[in-house]
Amino acid sequence: AQRVTQPEKLLSVFKGAPVELKCNYSYSGSPELFWYVQYSRQRLQLLLRHISRESIKGFTADLNKGETSFHLKKPFAQEEDSAMYYCALRQTYNFNKFYFGSGTKLNVKP
Amino acid sequence: GAGVSQSPRYKVAKRGQDVALRCDPISGHVSLFWYQQALGQGPEFLTYFQNEAQLDKSGLPSDRFFAERPEGSVSTLKIQRTQQEDSAVYLCASSLARTGQGYGYTFGSGTRLTVV
């Protein structure tokens, strides 16, 4: 069965420090991985997906199939990055549902 | 509309009461999804519509949960005889893509249901 694990409920860093939000998954096939973000009082929105290999707002994430991980990284955190971050998996044969992790709250301190 | 609209924003129901949650997707969006997000958890899939057809309802937790989208636009999630474990935020999302393959899901703000 597919499962997404985000081991940290809360991550606090100082502005300008590097940040890494961890995500591990279990899935026997070849998944699609995503990061969603929810800023305070805003809707859940897509941040990035692994197949596009893009950098959004300075964030990157690399899919490591050997370690079944998809960690989100940013070299220099900004206060406006404070938000809830959710890692999500979608099966390659079923595009109709996401499996979300329980989320990590990132708090960037001034 | 400009985004996915959900109503009501907040709903308090007494245990045993029936509730109906509404979702207005973006105009023209073919696919519509419902998710349930319990406190401290990530969203969990409930059901998926392609136009008016409910193609996947595998996530509905019990037969007390029922969803419909009769004209392929507005959708209603109904919960009968609500119980305390139904307390959660119910999220609706829509997508232009027919197969759901597109990653362009737009989520609504959700309805926070509290069963007392």
Side-chain angles (χ1 to χ4, degrees):
Chain A
Q2 51 287 319
R3 181 175 180 151
V4 177
T5 303
Q6 294 180 250
E8 303 139 329
K9 284 254 182 233
L10 173 65
L11 184 63
S12 286
V13 301
F14 284 102
K15 176 183 173 182
V19 61
E20 180 179 68
L21 289 83
K22 291 184 167 43
C23 172
N24 289 89
Y25 67 90
S26 62
Y27 177 54
S28 57
S30 185
E32 285 188 87
L33 273 296
F34 302 77
W35 277 99
Y36 277 83
V37 61
Q38 187 168 26
Y39 301 101
S40 179
R41 293 195 269 300
Q42 293 189 28
R43 305 170 184 212
L44 192 63
Q45 58 187 284
L46 178 68
L47 180 62
L48 55 80
R49 55 179 188 149
H50 89 271
I51 60 174
S52 58
R53 301 187 65 81
E54 57 204 342
S55 173
I56 303 294
K57 299 184 179 183
F59 284 97
T60 58
D62 290 317
L63 178 60
N64 185 323
K65 292 187 178 181
E67 296 182 358
T68 60
S69 68
F70 188 57
H71 303 327
L72 184 67
K73 301 176 184 179
K74 185 170 183 176
F76 308 103
Q78 303 299 314
E79 289 182 68
E80 56 265 30
D81 296 329
S82 296
M84 280 294 296
Y85 291 80
Y86 294 94
C87 182
L89 175 152
R90 192 166 67 180
Q91 299 165 325
T92 47
Y93 64 86
N94 185 352
F95 304 117
N96 302 323
K97 64 174 75 169
F98 285 98
Y99 297 88
F100 285 88
S102 56
T104 297
K105 183 173 183 178
L106 175 63
N107 180 33
V108 181
K109 297 176 285 188
Chain B
V4 177
S5 178
Q6 292 188 246
S7 60
R9 284 297 311 275
Y10 303 93
K11 176 69 180 177
V12 178
K14 291 185 177 179
R15 190 160 55 97
Q17 186 179 351
D18 296 351
V19 298
L21 313 180
R22 178 187 170 104
C23 173
D24 275 279
I26 293 174
S27 179
H29 274 199
V30 170
S31 298
L32 184 144
F33 312 83
W34 283 98
Y35 282 78
Q36 180 191 56
Q37 186 172 17
L39 188 63
Q41 300 298 317
E44 289 194 11
F45 173 83
L46 292 177
T47 187
Y48 158 66
F49 289 86
Q50 186 184 107
N51 295 309
E52 69 278 4
Q54 188 175 22
L55 299 186
D56 188 343
K57 54 181 180 179
S58 61
L60 296 177
S62 77
D63 58 9
R64 297 186 295 104
F65 286 71
F66 173 75
E68 61 183 5
R69 194 186 184 198
E71 297 178 358
S73 55
V74 172
S75 177
T76 304
L77 176 67
K78 297 179 180 178
I79 308 173
Q80 296 177 324
R81 305 181 302 282
T82 52
Q83 301 180 8
Q84 283 193 318
E85 60 263 30
D86 300 335
S87 295
V89 175
Y90 290 85
L91 296 171
C92 177
S94 70
S95 171
L96 186 59
R98 183 173 300 276
T99 63
Q101 186 172 9
Y103 59 91
Y105 294 76
T106 302
F107 279 88
S109 299
T111 293
R112 182 178 297 277
L113 172 66
T114 304
V115 181
V116 297

